[in-house]
Amino acid sequence: MKVLSPLASIALAQGTLCAAQGYTNESEVPYYGRSPAVYPSPVGDGATSSIWESAYQRAKALVSRLTDEEKSNLTRGFDGQCVGNTGAIPRLSIPSLCFSDAPDGVRGQEFVSAFPAGIHVAATWDRSLIYRYGHALGQEYQGKGINVALGPVAGPLGRLARGGRNWEGLGADPYLAGGGMGAITKGIQDAGVIASAKHWLLNEEEWRRNPGDMGESLSSNADDRTIHELYVFPFMDALREGVGSVMCSYQRLNHSYGCQNSKLLNGILKTELGFEGFVVSDWAAQHSGVASANAGLDVVMPDGGFWGRNLTDAVANGSVSSERLDDMATRVLATWFYTGQDDGYPAPGVYSESEKHDPIDVQADHATLIREIGSAGTVLVKNVNNALPFTNATRYLSVYGYDATVSAAPWANPSRYGGGYEVNFGWTTFNGTLITGGGSGGSTPPYVVSPFQALQERASKNKGILRWDFYSENPTPAYVNSDACLVFINAYASEAFDRTSLTDEFSDNLVRNVAANCTNTIVVIHSTGIRTVDAWIDHPNVTAVLFAGLPGQESGHSLVDILYGDVSPSGRLPFTVAKNESDYGNLLNSTVSFDAFPEVNFTEGLYIDYRAFDRDDIEPRFEFGFGLSYTTFEYSDLAITATGNSTSPLVDANIAIVQGGHPQLWDVLFEVTCSITNTGDVSSSEVAQLYVSIPDAPVRQLRGFERVPLAPGETKQISFPLTRRDLSIWDVVDQQWRLQAATYTASVGASSRILHLNGTIRIE
């Protein structure tokens, strides 16, 4: 009788993991469900770049002058002016560092901007625009004297269709999310602010994310390859751009809490990926003292947690080494020096709304950028008989739906702006147009331009007419003379709970009732993520549908720019919209368990979102990467050129790791080029997408994207660089990224299922 190893027993118990992911033996499922120990915590040295090296030299010199109590003060949070505050050391002019939310704007403050949410920015598929977004965010944080901005977000990635915080992230694909993570990180830190990439790692649902009366928090159990190729992947881009902080997450991961998981912190983040900055806990996510220190946590928030005096005692008795404490303090100070915050950085200008103060205005002209991103991230998914854009003859509009206007009182909590539509225990709550999601990731708008306000501005300019009914489920009378009927609905989500549905009966009924009486019904959806539409999408009177995302404070202007053709839509879906919620299978709902030690097994491995739909041959309603335009495009002249860089299976082990991983992972091995022509009569941008078929992996994976502005008749050549990382899989035996000797298919097109050009790459 064969006795199974513990790892094999775990794999079998989790339900055919090997078969689900194509693994052939138990050695390919290392530590699934159990997180191995990796000690000691690596000591940062600044070897990544001359800037980091200089920062480390200065930090180490300063730390050598500190007492253990002072070092400990740098590693813990204190109550104070900001959401999080580290300890100060006045005798050496080391200030308290100010930490603040959110990833789409400074939360809870006056005279700050409400930027589009991460999921909306991802829908632009435009790295340069995303960089400008990150830089504007950084400028506002810097102007308020905030040292650490808690973002960007790639955790959650979007494993679950109903995940409550998916909207904070950058789409359900690691390459798309990685492009956004890198661009936002660079933008924030170019403004002199420390970015904190979050949440590391596998923070994919809200149910029981923290321990409580029922027991411990949820354990997200995933295998080594899935962890690297899906969930670590986007963080690598932020690390490559020099991110100064990484926030560890609430959940347990393979049964070890995220902020004391030595494999994830010491092993992957600080060793494999050479992280030079500091790891900060999510708020109240520290659940041990000595264990979290030795596992690689550097700063605990929001208060002392298990540290403070306890940490200095642990160093004194040898439970935590003095080298570990020195490294914690050094990492904090090195990051402070790295971003230049020691040289004239503003003092915190963060205030509570209940105290009298002189507010600091940091808005600049960011409203213009917000409006541009709002339009660029709006996705047109249906447009029958050129219902859009409106023409000069479109002067009589009827406007319906709770999402068209601003709520009368969305400020139940002054620091938590509320919008959207909810049904709670049978009571319907109309909170107005949705521009951000709920929880700590939400923004605080200085104002909100609602769709109705912007439509009134345009109607006034055009000497048009509007009729409206915001709250009726079956609006009457029907204004049969209307040129078009606009129906505004939304789908809300928030931190602290997951969604219970991807649709709602009230909104579906509203659309059907309007369409029954209006032959030109246009539906606008502001949503925190996936919103199914099959209850009405095929109604003959529904002529156009727009996924308008979470566009921030200039929401109405961004939308009206699209409706009237001032801007041609170019947004693309950063997730898959199914025909039926059941099409998402096991990736629909969060895991509701009342066990003392709840867990969820990521047995789907690499197959989430469009990868799962491709594998299972399920036809989506709107596929990942899909979006329409007011013009047409033609693709041609595909060419694939080898750069001459090494295509050896593994990287050179003699080359030192830097932040972001082995330097050769970023070597460009092939250039894929093609030409795109605007064959219509409207200036617009096309989002060209490159998908690669990698052996022993999903049938296609996004590996390039470019938003290309084109005038009518104009042709441009674009290039997609393919790096070693882009073409590799994670080898769980060698514990390295492996390039396979095989034939790869490269396809370029307008979505994950509209692929116009195909070519092959051969690696010997």
Side-chain angles (χ1 to χ4, degrees):
M1 176 179 175
K2 180 181 178 182
V3 179
L4 292 176
S5 70
L7 290 175
S9 299
I10 292 168
L12 290 175
Q14 308 309 340
T16 66
L17 174 74
C18 295
Q21 298 194 180
Y23 300 137
T24 57
N25 61 72
E26 65 193 52
S27 69
E28 294 182 314
V29 195
Y31 72 82
Y32 183 81
R34 294 294 183 270
S35 197
V38 179
Y39 298 103
S41 187
V43 175
D45 59 10
T48 289
S49 68
S50 60
I51 301 175
W52 271 116
E53 183 179 24
S54 173
Y56 261 87
Q57 288 173 350
R58 298 174 66 191
K60 287 181 177 180
L62 199 51
V63 168
S64 69
R65 301 168 60 189
L66 303 180
T67 67
D68 281 356
E69 288 75 13
E70 288 171 331
K71 296 170 190 174
S72 178
N73 265 6
L74 294 178
T75 71
R76 58 161 292 185
F78 291 84
D79 290 335
Q81 196 170 357
C82 303
V83 172
N85 311 268
T86 60
I89 305 174
R91 73 179 181 89
L92 294 175
S93 301
I94 300 173
S96 170
L97 298 186
C98 170
F99 294 65
S100 187
D101 299 308
D104 57 351
V106 182
R107 179 172 59 84
Q109 294 298 300
E110 301 160 328
F111 294 96
V112 296
S113 301
F115 290 84
I119 199 69
H120 193 101
V121 179
T124 70
W125 295 61
D126 187 330
R127 285 184 181 86
S128 64
L129 198 55
I130 297 172
Y131 169 81
R132 290 168 54 203
Y133 167 88
H135 194 253
L137 275 172
Q139 289 176 323
E140 297 208 3
Y141 276 94
Q142 197 270 351
K144 289 286 188 182
I146 298 165
N147 302 91
V148 184
L150 301 179
V153 177
L157 182 64
R159 173 181 180 264
L160 296 180
R162 290 180 175 176
R165 298 187 78 174
N166 291 352
W167 62 274
E168 295 183 40
L170 292 155
D173 177 86
Y175 187 90
L176 177 63
M181 286 285 277
I184 294 172
T185 295
K186 180 171 173 52
I188 289 174
Q189 296 200 167
D190 280 354
V193 177
I194 300 166
S196 186
K198 64 182 190 181
H199 304 84
W200 178 272
L201 199 65
L202 275 63
N203 185 74
E204 294 296 317
E205 56 186 278
E206 295 299 284
W207 171 258
R208 292 187 66 178
R209 62 181 186 168
N210 286 316
D213 293 339
M214 287 188 286
E216 300 300 320
S217 70
L218 185 76
S219 178
S220 297
N221 303 327
D223 69 277
D224 191 28
R225 183 176 173 189
T226 295
I227 287 172
H228 282 82
E229 292 187 32
L230 267 189
Y231 300 102
V232 167
F233 195 107
F235 283 89
M236 294 174 72
D237 293 79
L239 292 164
R240 172 79 169 168
E241 294 295 348
V243 72
S245 173
V246 169
M247 180 188 290
C248 52
S249 60
Y250 285 120
Q251 276 96 339
R252 293 180 298 145
L253 305 102
N254 289 324
H255 295 93
S256 174
Y257 274 103
C259 292
Q260 62 190 57
N261 189 307
S262 65
K263 173 62 177 179
L264 290 182
L265 300 180
N266 290 340
I268 296 177
L269 182 61
K270 291 184 175 180
T271 300
E272 286 178 23
L273 301 180
F275 180 50
E276 306 270 25
F278 63 87
V279 176
V280 61
S281 72
D282 204 339
W283 268 230
Q286 185 194 39
H287 301 299
S288 67
V290 169
S292 60
N294 290 333
L297 180 64
D298 300 305
V299 176
V300 58
M301 286 293 169
D303 53 32
F306 290 86
W307 285 355
R309 176 66 179 271
N310 292 334
L311 182 57
T312 54
D313 288 348
V315 172
N317 67 30
S319 301
V320 175
S321 70
S322 58
E323 289 80 9
R324 175 82 269 260
L325 179 60
D326 285 353
D327 184 55
M328 294 178 190
T330 300
R331 285 174 177 273
V332 172
L333 291 176
T335 306
W336 182 57
F337 286 127
Y338 175 72
T339 49
Q341 293 187 359
D342 61 304
D343 185 16
Y345 201 80
V350 176
Y351 306 100
S352 71
E353 301 211 3
S354 61
E355 62 183 286
K356 186 173 178 60
H357 57 272
D358 294 323
I360 300 170
D361 187 347
V362 296
Q363 298 172 95
D365 187 30
H366 296 154
T368 300
L369 175 63
I370 292 168
R371 181 171 181 167
E372 181 182 356
I373 295 172
S375 295
T378 297
V379 186
L380 178 66
V381 296
K382 182 178 182 179
N383 193 23
V384 178
N385 299 324
N386 296 319
L388 294 176
F390 294 149
T391 67
N392 290 334
T394 310
R395 299 178 59 207
Y396 188 168
L397 298 176
S398 293
V399 181
Y400 302 104
Y402 54 91
D403 182 75
T405 189
V406 175
S407 167
W411 299 101
N413 179 337
S415 68
R416 302 287 176 105
Y417 175 80
Y421 161 79
E422 301 175 72
V423 177
N424 295 312
F425 306 107
W427 293 91
T428 302
T429 303
F430 298 103
N431 284 332
T433 195
L434 192 64
I435 68 163
T436 185
S440 63
S443 57
T444 305
Y447 59 82
V448 175
V449 178
S450 70
F452 186 64
Q453 177 185 333
L455 287 166
Q456 286 196 102
E457 292 172 7
R458 188 59 68 107
S460 174
K461 178 180 177 181
N462 294 346
K463 295 182 172 56
I465 181 173
L466 295 178
R467 293 290 182 264
W468 59 89
D469 182 343
F470 300 137
Y471 303 120
S472 298
E473 184 175 356
N474 189 8
T476 55
Y479 295 101
V480 295
N481 291 332
S482 298
D483 296 316
C485 299
L486 292 162
V487 185
F488 290 88
I489 61 176
N490 62 45
Y492 179 75
S494 174
E495 179 183 10
F497 57 88
D498 294 306
R499 298 166 67 186
T500 58
S501 177
L502 300 180
T503 183
D504 72 85
E505 185 177 6
F506 179 96
S507 301
D508 286 343
N509 286 341
L510 172 62
V511 173
R512 285 190 294 252
N513 290 337
V514 172
N517 294 293
C518 183
T519 58
N520 188 22
T521 298
I522 295 163
V523 183
V524 178
I525 307 168
H526 287 113
S527 69
T528 51
I530 298 165
R531 207 289 186 185
T532 56
V533 295
D534 268 59
W536 42 262
I537 190 69
D538 289 326
H539 194 293
N541 289 346
V542 175
T543 55
V545 178
L546 291 148
F547 275 75
L550 298 173
Q553 69 193 46
E554 288 286 322
S555 173
H557 288 152
S558 297
L559 177 67
V560 168
D561 286 344
I562 295 287
L563 293 175
Y564 282 86
D566 300 335
V567 176
S568 175
S570 62
R572 299 293 182 265
L573 292 174
F575 44 70
T576 297
V577 177
K579 292 183 176 180
N580 305 292
E581 292 197 35
S582 59
D583 291 343
Y584 295 102
N586 293 333
L587 301 180
L588 175 64
N589 291 316
S590 56
T591 304
V592 177
S593 169
F594 297 97
D595 293 344
F597 297 91
E599 54 190 309
V600 56
N601 300 305
F602 289 27
T603 52
E604 74 285 345
L606 304 175
Y607 294 90
I608 69 170
D609 201 76
Y610 70 93
R611 300 157 176 239
F613 280 72
D614 290 344
R615 178 197 61 190
D616 298 335
D617 196 25
I618 298 173
E619 182 182 1
R621 170 55 64 184
F622 301 117
E623 71 270 18
F624 176 84
F626 178 75
L628 301 174
S629 172
Y630 291 155
T631 189
T632 55
F633 301 96
E634 182 179 279
Y635 289 68
S636 61
D637 303 327
L638 180 72
I640 302 173
T641 306
T643 63
N645 285 324
S646 171
T647 56
S648 61
L650 302 176
V651 297
D652 185 346
N654 295 315
I655 298 176
I657 300 295
V658 297
Q659 182 158 308
H662 195 289
Q664 288 183 335
L665 291 176
W666 303 93
D667 286 348
V668 176
L669 305 186
F670 296 90
E671 292 277 356
V672 179
T673 60
C674 70
S675 296
I676 302 178
T677 302
N678 183 342
T679 55
D681 55 6
V682 174
S683 292
S684 187
S685 293
E686 171 69 330
V687 175
Q689 302 163 41
L690 169 66
Y691 293 84
V692 176
S693 177
I694 299 171
D696 301 317
V699 65
R700 64 179 64 87
Q701 299 182 69
L702 181 70
R703 285 297 184 261
F705 60 89
E706 187 74 23
R707 183 170 178 255
V708 188
L710 292 164
E714 184 179 11
T715 299
K716 288 182 181 177
Q717 185 184 71
I718 60 171
S719 177
F720 303 103
L722 283 171
T723 66
R724 173 181 284 272
R725 183 189 66 150
D726 294 335
L727 297 171
S728 296
I729 63 170
W730 178 254
D731 188 316
V732 300
V733 176
D734 283 335
Q735 290 291 289
Q736 293 190 53
W737 292 93
R738 176 177 291 277
L739 199 60
Q740 302 171 83
T743 298
Y744 301 66
T745 300
S747 302
V748 179
S751 79
S752 60
R753 294 203 170 191
I754 304 174
L755 301 170
H756 300 295
L757 306 172
N758 297 284
T760 58
I761 296 169
R762 179 65 188 172
I763 297 177
E764 302 293 341

mmCIF file with all atom_site columns, all heavy atoms in Angstrom, residues 7 10 30-36 221 253-255 599:
data_model
loop_
_atom_site.group_PDB
_atom_site.id
_atom_site.type_symbol
_atom_site.label_atom_id
_atom_site.label_alt_id
_atom_site.label_comp_id
_atom_site.label_asym_id
_atom_site.label_entity_id
_atom_site.label_seq_id
_atom_site.pdbx_PDB_ins_code
_atom_site.Cartn_x
_atom_site.Cartn_y
_atom_site.Cartn_z
_atom_site.occupancy
_atom_site.B_iso_or_equiv
_atom_site.pdbx_formal_charge
_atom_site.auth_seq_id
_atom_site.auth_comp_id
_atom_site.auth_asym_id
_atom_site.auth_atom_id
_atom_site.pdbx_PDB_model_num
ATOM 1   N N   . LEU A 1 7   ? 1.888   16.428 1.325  1.00 0.00 ? 7   LEU A N   1
ATOM 2   C CA  . LEU A 1 7   ? 1.497   17.332 0.237  1.00 0.00 ? 7   LEU A CA  1
ATOM 3   C C   . LEU A 1 7   ? 0.526   16.657 -0.715 1.00 0.00 ? 7   LEU A C   1
ATOM 4   O O   . LEU A 1 7   ? -0.447  17.251 -1.173 1.00 0.00 ? 7   LEU A O   1
ATOM 5   C CB  . LEU A 1 7   ? 2.741   17.793 -0.530 1.00 0.00 ? 7   LEU A CB  1
ATOM 6   C CG  . LEU A 1 7   ? 3.656   18.750 0.232  1.00 0.00 ? 7   LEU A CG  1
ATOM 7   C CD1 . LEU A 1 7   ? 4.909   19.026 -0.591 1.00 0.00 ? 7   LEU A CD1 1
ATOM 8   C CD2 . LEU A 1 7   ? 2.940   20.039 0.546  1.00 0.00 ? 7   LEU A CD2 1
ATOM 9   N N   . ILE A 1 10  ? -2.913  16.458 0.890  1.00 0.00 ? 10  ILE A N   1
ATOM 10  C CA  . ILE A 1 10  ? -3.598  17.754 0.834  1.00 0.00 ? 10  ILE A CA  1
ATOM 11  C C   . ILE A 1 10  ? -4.165  17.989 -0.554 1.00 0.00 ? 10  ILE A C   1
ATOM 12  O O   . ILE A 1 10  ? -5.314  18.395 -0.729 1.00 0.00 ? 10  ILE A O   1
ATOM 13  C CB  . ILE A 1 10  ? -2.635  18.881 1.232  1.00 0.00 ? 10  ILE A CB  1
ATOM 14  C CG1 . ILE A 1 10  ? -2.279  18.755 2.713  1.00 0.00 ? 10  ILE A CG1 1
ATOM 15  C CG2 . ILE A 1 10  ? -3.248  20.253 0.962  1.00 0.00 ? 10  ILE A CG2 1
ATOM 16  C CD1 . ILE A 1 10  ? -1.121  19.626 3.128  1.00 0.00 ? 10  ILE A CD1 1
ATOM 17  N N   . PRO A 1 30  ? 3.805   21.979 -4.599 1.00 0.00 ? 30  PRO A N   1
ATOM 18  C CA  . PRO A 1 30  ? 4.502   22.202 -3.336 1.00 0.00 ? 30  PRO A CA  1
ATOM 19  C C   . PRO A 1 30  ? 3.706   23.115 -2.407 1.00 0.00 ? 30  PRO A C   1
ATOM 20  O O   . PRO A 1 30  ? 3.129   24.092 -2.830 1.00 0.00 ? 30  PRO A O   1
ATOM 21  C CB  . PRO A 1 30  ? 5.809   22.874 -3.771 1.00 0.00 ? 30  PRO A CB  1
ATOM 22  C CG  . PRO A 1 30  ? 5.480   23.534 -5.052 1.00 0.00 ? 30  PRO A CG  1
ATOM 23  C CD  . PRO A 1 30  ? 4.488   22.636 -5.719 1.00 0.00 ? 30  PRO A CD  1
ATOM 24  N N   . TYR A 1 31  ? 3.669   22.761 -1.185 1.00 0.00 ? 31  TYR A N   1
ATOM 25  C CA  . TYR A 1 31  ? 3.081   23.493 -0.061 1.00 0.00 ? 31  TYR A CA  1
ATOM 26  C C   . TYR A 1 31  ? 1.640   23.935 -0.259 1.00 0.00 ? 31  TYR A C   1
ATOM 27  O O   . TYR A 1 31  ? 1.161   24.829 0.403  1.00 0.00 ? 31  TYR A O   1
ATOM 28  C CB  . TYR A 1 31  ? 3.978   24.657 0.381  1.00 0.00 ? 31  TYR A CB  1
ATOM 29  C CG  . TYR A 1 31  ? 4.068   25.872 -0.530 1.00 0.00 ? 31  TYR A CG  1
ATOM 30  C CD1 . TYR A 1 31  ? 3.097   26.871 -0.507 1.00 0.00 ? 31  TYR A CD1 1
ATOM 31  C CD2 . TYR A 1 31  ? 5.157   26.050 -1.377 1.00 0.00 ? 31  TYR A CD2 1
ATOM 32  C CE1 . TYR A 1 31  ? 3.193   27.986 -1.304 1.00 0.00 ? 31  TYR A CE1 1
ATOM 33  C CE2 . TYR A 1 31  ? 5.263   27.175 -2.171 1.00 0.00 ? 31  TYR A CE2 1
ATOM 34  C CZ  . TYR A 1 31  ? 4.283   28.136 -2.132 1.00 0.00 ? 31  TYR A CZ  1
ATOM 35  O OH  . TYR A 1 31  ? 4.383   29.266 -2.927 1.00 0.00 ? 31  TYR A OH  1
ATOM 36  N N   . TYR A 1 32  ? 0.887   23.258 -1.129 1.00 0.00 ? 32  TYR A N   1
ATOM 37  C CA  . TYR A 1 32  ? -0.521  23.626 -1.283 1.00 0.00 ? 32  TYR A CA  1
ATOM 38  C C   . TYR A 1 32  ? -1.256  23.399 0.028  1.00 0.00 ? 32  TYR A C   1
ATOM 39  O O   . TYR A 1 32  ? -1.279  22.301 0.567  1.00 0.00 ? 32  TYR A O   1
ATOM 40  C CB  . TYR A 1 32  ? -1.176  22.811 -2.394 1.00 0.00 ? 32  TYR A CB  1
ATOM 41  C CG  . TYR A 1 32  ? -2.615  23.202 -2.637 1.00 0.00 ? 32  TYR A CG  1
ATOM 42  C CD1 . TYR A 1 32  ? -2.919  24.312 -3.411 1.00 0.00 ? 32  TYR A CD1 1
ATOM 43  C CD2 . TYR A 1 32  ? -3.665  22.487 -2.076 1.00 0.00 ? 32  TYR A CD2 1
ATOM 44  C CE1 . TYR A 1 32  ? -4.226  24.695 -3.623 1.00 0.00 ? 32  TYR A CE1 1
ATOM 45  C CE2 . TYR A 1 32  ? -4.972  22.856 -2.285 1.00 0.00 ? 32  TYR A CE2 1
ATOM 46  C CZ  . TYR A 1 32  ? -5.250  23.965 -3.062 1.00 0.00 ? 32  TYR A CZ  1
ATOM 47  O OH  . TYR A 1 32  ? -6.556  24.340 -3.276 1.00 0.00 ? 32  TYR A OH  1
ATOM 48  N N   . GLY A 1 33  ? -1.851  24.450 0.554  1.00 0.00 ? 33  GLY A N   1
ATOM 49  C CA  . GLY A 1 33  ? -2.589  24.359 1.798  1.00 0.00 ? 33  GLY A CA  1
ATOM 50  C C   . GLY A 1 33  ? -1.744  24.510 3.044  1.00 0.00 ? 33  GLY A C   1
ATOM 51  O O   . GLY A 1 33  ? -2.270  24.662 4.134  1.00 0.00 ? 33  GLY A O   1
ATOM 52  N N   . ARG A 1 34  ? -0.433  24.462 2.917  1.00 0.00 ? 34  ARG A N   1
ATOM 53  C CA  . ARG A 1 34  ? 0.462   24.655 4.058  1.00 0.00 ? 34  ARG A CA  1
ATOM 54  C C   . ARG A 1 34  ? 1.611   25.540 3.605  1.00 0.00 ? 34  ARG A C   1
ATOM 55  O O   . ARG A 1 34  ? 2.260   25.257 2.601  1.00 0.00 ? 34  ARG A O   1
ATOM 56  C CB  . ARG A 1 34  ? 1.006   23.308 4.567  1.00 0.00 ? 34  ARG A CB  1
ATOM 57  C CG  . ARG A 1 34  ? -0.064  22.400 5.158  1.00 0.00 ? 34  ARG A CG  1
ATOM 58  C CD  . ARG A 1 34  ? -0.651  22.984 6.439  1.00 0.00 ? 34  ARG A CD  1
ATOM 59  N NE  . ARG A 1 34  ? -1.635  22.097 7.053  1.00 0.00 ? 34  ARG A NE  1
ATOM 60  C CZ  . ARG A 1 34  ? -2.929  22.119 6.789  1.00 0.00 ? 34  ARG A CZ  1
ATOM 61  N NH1 . ARG A 1 34  ? -3.412  22.979 5.902  1.00 0.00 ? 34  ARG A NH1 1
ATOM 62  N NH2 . ARG A 1 34  ? -3.757  21.294 7.402  1.00 0.00 ? 34  ARG A NH2 1
ATOM 63  N N   . SER A 1 35  ? 1.873   26.579 4.354  1.00 0.00 ? 35  SER A N   1
ATOM 64  C CA  . SER A 1 35  ? 2.898   27.536 3.955  1.00 0.00 ? 35  SER A CA  1
ATOM 65  C C   . SER A 1 35  ? 4.222   27.184 4.632  1.00 0.00 ? 35  SER A C   1
ATOM 66  O O   . SER A 1 35  ? 4.298   27.144 5.864  1.00 0.00 ? 35  SER A O   1
ATOM 67  C CB  . SER A 1 35  ? 2.471   28.950 4.348  1.00 0.00 ? 35  SER A CB  1
ATOM 68  O OG  . SER A 1 35  ? 3.206   29.916 3.658  1.00 0.00 ? 35  SER A OG  1
ATOM 69  N N   . PRO A 1 36  ? 5.273   26.909 3.868  1.00 0.00 ? 36  PRO A N   1
ATOM 70  C CA  . PRO A 1 36  ? 6.552   26.509 4.466  1.00 0.00 ? 36  PRO A CA  1
ATOM 71  C C   . PRO A 1 36  ? 7.244   27.681 5.147  1.00 0.00 ? 36  PRO A C   1
ATOM 72  O O   . PRO A 1 36  ? 7.002   28.842 4.835  1.00 0.00 ? 36  PRO A O   1
ATOM 73  C CB  . PRO A 1 36  ? 7.361   26.025 3.261  1.00 0.00 ? 36  PRO A CB  1
ATOM 74  C CG  . PRO A 1 36  ? 6.793   26.777 2.111  1.00 0.00 ? 36  PRO A CG  1
ATOM 75  C CD  . PRO A 1 36  ? 5.331   26.933 2.400  1.00 0.00 ? 36  PRO A CD  1
ATOM 76  N N   . ASN A 1 221 ? -6.126  29.069 0.045  1.00 0.00 ? 221 ASN A N   1
ATOM 77  C CA  . ASN A 1 221 ? -5.146  28.018 -0.218 1.00 0.00 ? 221 ASN A CA  1
ATOM 78  C C   . ASN A 1 221 ? -4.872  27.914 -1.711 1.00 0.00 ? 221 ASN A C   1
ATOM 79  O O   . ASN A 1 221 ? -5.772  27.616 -2.497 1.00 0.00 ? 221 ASN A O   1
ATOM 80  C CB  . ASN A 1 221 ? -5.652  26.677 0.305  1.00 0.00 ? 221 ASN A CB  1
ATOM 81  C CG  . ASN A 1 221 ? -5.966  26.722 1.786  1.00 0.00 ? 221 ASN A CG  1
ATOM 82  O OD1 . ASN A 1 221 ? -5.315  27.439 2.548  1.00 0.00 ? 221 ASN A OD1 1
ATOM 83  N ND2 . ASN A 1 221 ? -6.974  25.966 2.215  1.00 0.00 ? 221 ASN A ND2 1
ATOM 84  N N   . LEU A 1 253 ? -3.123  32.615 4.485  1.00 0.00 ? 253 LEU A N   1
ATOM 85  C CA  . LEU A 1 253 ? -2.747  32.110 3.166  1.00 0.00 ? 253 LEU A CA  1
ATOM 86  C C   . LEU A 1 253 ? -2.051  30.781 3.367  1.00 0.00 ? 253 LEU A C   1
ATOM 87  O O   . LEU A 1 253 ? -1.019  30.708 4.044  1.00 0.00 ? 253 LEU A O   1
ATOM 88  C CB  . LEU A 1 253 ? -1.811  33.102 2.456  1.00 0.00 ? 253 LEU A CB  1
ATOM 89  C CG  . LEU A 1 253 ? -2.390  34.517 2.340  1.00 0.00 ? 253 LEU A CG  1
ATOM 90  C CD1 . LEU A 1 253 ? -1.775  35.429 3.397  1.00 0.00 ? 253 LEU A CD1 1
ATOM 91  C CD2 . LEU A 1 253 ? -2.152  35.091 0.962  1.00 0.00 ? 253 LEU A CD2 1
ATOM 92  N N   . ASN A 1 254 ? -2.665  29.732 2.822  1.00 0.00 ? 254 ASN A N   1
ATOM 93  C CA  . ASN A 1 254 ? -2.165  28.389 3.104  1.00 0.00 ? 254 ASN A CA  1
ATOM 94  C C   . ASN A 1 254 ? -1.994  28.198 4.612  1.00 0.00 ? 254 ASN A C   1
ATOM 95  O O   . ASN A 1 254 ? -1.000  27.668 5.095  1.00 0.00 ? 254 ASN A O   1
ATOM 96  C CB  . ASN A 1 254 ? -0.866  28.117 2.348  1.00 0.00 ? 254 ASN A CB  1
ATOM 97  C CG  . ASN A 1 254 ? -1.101  27.956 0.856  1.00 0.00 ? 254 ASN A CG  1
ATOM 98  O OD1 . ASN A 1 254 ? -2.126  27.406 0.442  1.00 0.00 ? 254 ASN A OD1 1
ATOM 99  N ND2 . ASN A 1 254 ? -0.176  28.435 0.041  1.00 0.00 ? 254 ASN A ND2 1
ATOM 100 N N   . HIS A 1 255 ? -3.000  28.680 5.338  1.00 0.00 ? 255 HIS A N   1
ATOM 101 C CA  . HIS A 1 255 ? -3.151  28.516 6.789  1.00 0.00 ? 255 HIS A CA  1
ATOM 102 C C   . HIS A 1 255 ? -2.187  29.340 7.628  1.00 0.00 ? 255 HIS A C   1
ATOM 103 O O   . HIS A 1 255 ? -2.069  29.103 8.832  1.00 0.00 ? 255 HIS A O   1
ATOM 104 C CB  . HIS A 1 255 ? -3.070  27.030 7.182  1.00 0.00 ? 255 HIS A CB  1
ATOM 105 C CG  . HIS A 1 255 ? -4.201  26.226 6.623  1.00 0.00 ? 255 HIS A CG  1
ATOM 106 N ND1 . HIS A 1 255 ? -4.113  25.554 5.424  1.00 0.00 ? 255 HIS A ND1 1
ATOM 107 C CD2 . HIS A 1 255 ? -5.462  26.015 7.078  1.00 0.00 ? 255 HIS A CD2 1
ATOM 108 C CE1 . HIS A 1 255 ? -5.258  24.948 5.164  1.00 0.00 ? 255 HIS A CE1 1
ATOM 109 N NE2 . HIS A 1 255 ? -6.101  25.214 6.152  1.00 0.00 ? 255 HIS A NE2 1
ATOM 110 N N   . GLU A 1 599 ? -11.799 27.909 5.184  1.00 0.00 ? 599 GLU A N   1
ATOM 111 C CA  . GLU A 1 599 ? -10.809 27.954 4.126  1.00 0.00 ? 599 GLU A CA  1
ATOM 112 C C   . GLU A 1 599 ? -11.482 27.880 2.767  1.00 0.00 ? 599 GLU A C   1
ATOM 113 O O   . GLU A 1 599 ? -12.599 27.409 2.623  1.00 0.00 ? 599 GLU A O   1
ATOM 114 C CB  . GLU A 1 599 ? -9.792  26.824 4.284  1.00 0.00 ? 599 GLU A CB  1
ATOM 115 C CG  . GLU A 1 599 ? -10.374 25.434 4.389  1.00 0.00 ? 599 GLU A CG  1
ATOM 116 C CD  . GLU A 1 599 ? -9.304  24.416 4.780  1.00 0.00 ? 599 GLU A CD  1
ATOM 117 O OE1 . GLU A 1 599 ? -8.252  24.386 4.121  1.00 0.00 ? 599 GLU A OE1 1
ATOM 118 O OE2 . GLU A 1 599 ? -9.519  23.663 5.736  1.00 0.00 ? 599 GLU A OE2 1
#
